[in-house]
Amino acid sequence: MKRRAGFFVFATVLLILPLIFKDSYFLTVTGTTALFNACLAISLNLFMGFSGQVSLCHAAFYGIGAYSNAVFTTTYHFNPWISTIAGLFITGSISFILARPILKLKGHYLAMATLGLGIIIHIFFVQADNITKGPDGISGIPNLMFGKINIKGDATWYYMASLLTIFYTWLSLNLLDSRTGRALKAIHDGETGAQVSGIDTDKLKADVFVLTAMMASLAGSLLAHKEGFISPESFNLQFSVELLTMIVIGGLGSIFGSLFGAVFLTSLPEFLSKFEDFEMLVYGLILIATMIFMPQGLYVGISRFFTGILKKLIKKDE
Amino acid sequence: MNDINILIAKSLIKNFGGVSAISDVSFAIKKGQVFSIIGPNGAGKTTLLNMLTGVYKIDSGTIHFNGAEISKFPPYKISNLGINRTFQNLQIFKNMSVLENVMVGCYNKGTSGLISSLFYLPNVWKEEKQIRQWAIEALDFCGLSSLIKKDAAVLPYGDLKRIEIARSLASDPTLLLLDEPAAGLNDKETMELLPLIKKIRDTGITVGLVEHHMGLVMEVSDAVLVLNFGSKLAEGNPLEIQRNKDVIAAYLGG
Ligand SMILES: Nc1ncnc2c1ncn2[C@@H]1O[C@H](COP(=O)(O)OP(=O)(O)OP(=O)(O)O)[C@@H](O)[C@H]1O
Ligand SMILES: [Mg+2]
């Protein structure tokens, strides 16, 4: 129940922020990007932080969603929502077919396999230019419509991204408090123990792989309409690594940690613009420092630090 | 006492490279019994449990449980048929609370899947309450009520061993296999184990017990199987085993 209270506070804050910071470029532009990343980080965290698996192809599934909407709406003039469903279907099929063979692997091998898959999908975006228009990308993606309402403008997209983030957070919190969520955590802590408790670990891991790939795909579908233009470089390996950095920095296995990590790493470049070419270096340093000093993640580390202080203060009062 | 065999193992063989861990072992466990498996270190007791629960694939032989052949089943299927177990080296879920650990044990009694869990449909909510209740009952049964809210990671070894028993019981097994439940326990905890095993048996659960603590084995067992270097050395009731020359020799010589 404590979790639910935190969720409502979080959702409310997200939705009223634009009323407090009116016309804030930082909030509606950087903030929206951060929230899209948060959606990706939350879904990746379900697979990695909670289930204890590794994926370096999350950005590629994001890309499949984005390309699906870009291609189907511009080349074939499909309705955006139909295109989104098509994207979910394509991502779902690819991840479903590959899940079992890939997830037989563990640790480094799993990382390598997903890395390979991510690279292959990215190469497809770049090379299949009769479909994807190659490295130049696809422009002229139409606006998203809710009936007759046009979704456009930074502020509107901030709300769209907020709603998706709130939705993903809600799904994840629900899952973790359930039989299936506990089974995922059990797989993380020890597959033998999980199997002997009656959990079909191969199937569950595959299901979660498909689920989180589709969550990434949905976010990608929306992104295509927000940007109006997409190109392969938004979905490359580097972005998968950045997503991984977000969930590690936030704290593997913490949903709010993923949010924190996404917002932190997305807004960081705004503050680090002075470093220019050294941005990746600073990213790396932050990652290393986090691993050394707060291996459980910045968000989890910091919140433990503060609850520790609070507890001490309360004890003194007594 | 009835005479139905709940589990029949025939000519089981398991090799690790050149090491013959289990060679041609056959036995049957009668329903409602406490069936103990003893033997010197490295005799193959844990390997045998791993074979019965599907954790290790068997090289040859057959295992029948309640009349169905389970020799080639994966662990989760065997678990769902009603065989549960604890581990000599513990398989506790370290990032969970004690209650959650035992709630995982109830997995086979639940039905809600991934999608309904994501949306927390009403059936999930109801099931969650029910599972919590079952887990609390299992912890109560093992005398662990005071630990419910604790994180598993901070607890001492002896508590974790009993939490594993509670987790296994939470699945309502028909056959419960315990791998050295007394190892690492202090005297007081070992004393408490004896009535617990009897209580488990009295609820109708068949118990397979691997144990080095001879006092415990002789007191609680209906039948004993002795392994030595992967082979069956003797089988019989506790009295027969205590008098068996081969067994005495293996223990004194080993
Ligand atoms: N996974 C494995 N890989 C290789 N060898 C193994 C494996 N598991 C067991 N063994 C070997 O099989 C033999 C039997 O081991 P097992 O653990 O079953 O003995 P045990 O009777 O349970 O002994 P203990 O009383 O010490 O627990 C030993 O020689 C052991 O080294
Ligand atoms: Mg053993």
Side-chain angles (χ1 to χ4, degrees):
Chain A
M1 279 301 116
K2 220 168 73 194
R3 254 195 197 150
R4 302 291 144 163
F7 171 72
F8 283 116
V9 171
F10 157 73
T12 315
V13 168
L14 216 52
L15 292 175
I16 63 173
L17 272 180
L19 304 178
I20 301 168
F21 301 99
K22 284 209 173 73
D23 304 319
S24 158
Y25 171 86
F26 182 72
L27 183 69
T28 53
V29 176
T30 311
T32 305
T33 308
L35 289 176
F36 267 95
N37 292 343
C39 291
L40 296 171
I42 290 170
S43 52
L44 182 61
N45 198 10
L46 283 181
F47 185 67
M48 288 188 60
F50 290 101
S51 321
Q53 309 301 306
V54 189
S55 167
L56 283 167
C57 58
H58 212 56
F61 292 129
Y62 187 45
I64 294 178
Y67 267 96
S68 161
N69 281 51
V71 172
F72 287 130
T73 55
T74 59
T75 313
Y76 302 102
H77 305 289
F78 278 17
N79 171 297
W81 297 109
I82 306 272
S83 309
T84 303
I85 291 167
L88 287 171
F89 182 76
I90 296 169
T91 308
S93 312
I94 293 177
S95 55
F96 180 78
I97 292 166
L98 295 175
R100 293 256 179 171
I102 283 188
L103 289 168
K104 280 221 162 66
L105 306 170
K106 294 195 163 61
H108 299 43
Y109 299 101
L110 178 59
M112 293 306 286
T114 54
L115 179 132
L117 176 60
I119 291 176
I120 290 169
I121 293 173
H122 183 251
I123 289 176
F124 176 83
F125 295 151
V126 177
Q127 298 290 337
D129 39 15
N130 50 342
I131 303 171
T132 63
K133 308 255 163 60
D136 297 340
I138 298 173
S139 54
I141 303 165
N143 284 333
L144 202 60
M145 309 278 283
F146 270 123
K148 289 207 168 70
I149 306 163
N150 223 330
I151 314 280
K152 64 173 187 203
D154 294 341
T156 314
W157 272 107
Y158 172 85
Y159 279 112
M160 284 293 287
S162 298
L163 289 176
L164 192 68
T165 309
I166 291 168
F167 179 51
Y168 279 13
T169 308
W170 181 73
L171 291 179
S172 307
L173 289 173
N174 284 346
L175 179 62
L176 290 178
D177 266 343
S178 72
R179 166 179 181 264
T180 312
R182 271 191 305 276
L184 289 175
K185 288 191 275 183
I187 291 176
H188 183 185
D189 284 357
E191 259 186 67
T192 308
Q195 287 168 349
V196 166
S197 301
I199 298 163
D200 184 351
T201 54
D202 289 344
K203 175 168 189 300
L204 193 54
K205 283 193 290 186
D207 287 354
V208 170
F209 184 64
V210 174
L211 168 77
T212 55
M214 287 171 78
M215 286 168 85
S217 173
L218 175 61
S221 290
L222 296 181
L223 176 90
H225 296 287
K226 166 183 169 274
E227 299 287 327
F229 162 79
I230 57 160
S231 67
E233 68 212 48
S234 312
F235 314 107
N236 56 14
L237 174 64
Q238 185 179 331
F239 188 51
S240 282
V241 175
E242 276 178 44
L243 291 174
L244 196 141
T245 314
M246 287 172 195
I247 66 172
V248 171
I249 283 194
L252 283 169
S254 160
I255 294 166
F256 289 113
S258 296
L259 275 158
F260 173 90
V263 172
F264 181 74
L265 273 200
T266 314
S267 34
L268 202 61
E270 302 282 317
F271 301 113
L272 294 182
S273 45
K274 294 180 216 109
F275 293 95
E276 290 190 5
D277 294 345
F278 296 105
E279 220 184 279
M280 268 327 268
L281 186 73
V282 178
Y283 261 49
L285 286 177
I286 290 174
L287 186 62
I288 292 169
T290 309
M291 294 314 288
I292 294 175
F293 299 110
M294 287 191 182
Q296 70 280 61
L298 271 184
Y299 173 81
V300 178
I302 291 171
S303 53
R304 274 198 201 146
F305 178 72
F306 280 112
T307 37
I309 290 182
L310 262 177
K311 273 187 191 152
K312 270 191 193 145
L313 285 178
I314 293 168
K315 265 194 190 146
K316 265 185 195 153
D317 282 356
E318 276 168 0
Chain B
M1 188 126 320
N2 55 47
D3 269 354
I4 302 165
N5 286 326
I6 190 167
L7 185 132
I8 303 168
K10 275 203 192 111
S11 312
L12 296 181
I13 294 180
K14 180 74 192 175
N15 299 312
F16 293 108
V19 182
S20 164
I22 290 291
S23 45
D24 197 20
V25 171
S26 304
F27 61 93
I29 302 179
K30 288 205 164 55
K31 202 176 158 110
Q33 275 191 341
V34 174
F35 183 92
S36 288
I37 302 167
I38 63 171
N41 290 105
K45 305 178 296 291
T46 299
T47 303
L48 190 57
L49 287 204
N50 282 334
M51 293 163 84
L52 297 183
T53 50
V55 175
Y56 287 166
K57 287 203 171 69
I58 61 178
D59 291 347
S60 76
T62 57
I63 303 165
H64 286 261
F65 178 63
N66 275 334
E69 174 158 8
I70 59 166
S71 323
K72 296 201 170 61
F73 280 13
Y76 81 92
K77 269 195 188 159
I78 292 176
S79 167
N80 287 333
L81 286 175
I83 303 183
N84 215 299
R85 69 174 287 187
T86 64
F87 292 84
Q88 185 174 356
N89 302 320
L90 293 178
Q91 283 281 337
I92 283 285
F93 306 125
K94 288 239 164 60
N95 294 309
M96 297 186 202
S97 70
V98 169
L99 182 64
E100 279 183 302
N101 261 280
V102 180
M103 285 169 84
V104 173
C106 302
Y107 186 84
N108 60 347
K109 294 197 277 182
T111 54
S112 67
L114 187 58
I115 303 294
S116 56
S117 300
L118 282 169
F119 292 93
Y120 227 72
L121 300 179
N123 65 319
V124 176
W125 189 79
K126 258 168 74 188
E127 189 174 280
E128 223 16 42
K129 265 177 65 179
Q130 177 62 257
I131 286 178
R132 189 173 293 267
Q133 190 54 40
W134 280 328
I136 290 171
E137 281 166 17
L139 281 162
D140 262 350
F141 188 90
C142 298
L144 295 169
S145 308
S146 58
L147 301 180
I148 283 182
K149 290 213 173 99
K150 291 255 167 40
D151 282 331
V154 303
L155 292 174
Y157 189 78
D159 287 341
L160 295 178
K161 289 224 108 162
R162 282 191 298 166
I163 291 166
E164 274 204 355
I165 297 179
R167 184 177 74 196
S168 301
L169 283 174
S171 71
D172 285 347
T174 40
L175 173 60
L176 174 64
L177 305 172
L178 304 171
D179 198 353
E180 303 204 14
L185 299 194
N186 59 37
D187 290 345
K188 179 175 164 282
E189 288 168 332
T190 309
M191 287 311 293
E192 290 166 358
L193 195 59
L194 181 68
L196 178 61
I197 294 175
K198 286 184 172 168
K199 207 164 88 171
I200 292 171
R201 179 202 56 200
D202 290 344
T203 62
I205 298 171
T206 310
V207 178
L209 174 68
V210 170
E211 191 43 74
H212 280 298
H213 193 293
M214 282 310 138
L216 185 65
V217 169
M218 295 307 162
E219 168 75 30
V220 78
S221 311
D222 298 298
V224 181
L225 168 73
V226 189
L227 293 179
N228 196 21
F229 296 114
S231 304
K232 180 154 104 179
L233 187 66
E235 196 180 5
N237 65 39
L239 220 59
E240 290 164 357
I241 295 300
Q242 273 168 313
R243 290 186 193 141
N244 186 302
K245 288 202 184 69
D246 293 338
V247 176
I248 295 167
Y251 270 90
L252 294 179

